[in-house]
């Protein structure tokens, strides 16, 4: 995962524990999870919009090609 081994992850968790403390750590994790979820939703939305645009462009190109043959 991102070229990080288990020791790097443990070090990051220890640093987060020292900085935020044990009482705030669950809140930070929850906020991070919500942020990642929103990012994924936005990325999927953009991906779907791009697919729709490509499909519309392909349909337009096929229609033009058919009309040009007539």
């Amino acid at each position: 995962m991102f070229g990080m081994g288990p020791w790097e992850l443990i070090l990051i968790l220890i640093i987060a524990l020292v900085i935020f403390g044990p009482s705030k750590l669950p809140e930070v994790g929850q906020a991070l999870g919500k942020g990642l979820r929103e990012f994924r939703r936005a990325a999927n939305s953009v991906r779907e919009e791009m697919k729709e645009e490509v499909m519309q462009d392909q349909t337009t190109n096929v229609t033009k090609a058919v009309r040009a043959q007539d």
Side-chain angles (χ1 to χ4, degrees):
M1 176 167 60
F2 304 115
M4 295 173 51
W7 292 112
E8 288 88 359
L9 291 174
I10 291 171
L11 181 63
I12 290 171
L13 288 173
I14 290 172
I15 291 171
L17 184 62
V18 169
I19 291 173
F20 297 111
S23 62
K24 289 284 187 182
L25 205 54
E27 294 174 20
V28 171
Q30 186 179 18
L32 183 62
K34 285 182 182 179
L36 286 173
R37 239 183 331 258
E38 286 298 318
F39 179 78
R40 285 183 186 157
R41 284 184 190 146
N44 287 337
S45 175
V46 169
R47 187 177 300 124
E48 289 300 318
E49 288 178 17
M50 293 298 291
K51 283 181 183 178
E52 289 175 11
E53 287 182 21
V54 167
M55 292 298 290
Q56 287 176 353
D57 288 345
Q58 288 175 348
T59 302
T60 303
N61 290 340
V62 168
T63 304
K64 287 179 181 178
V66 168
R67 287 184 183 165
Q69 290 178 354
D70 290 339

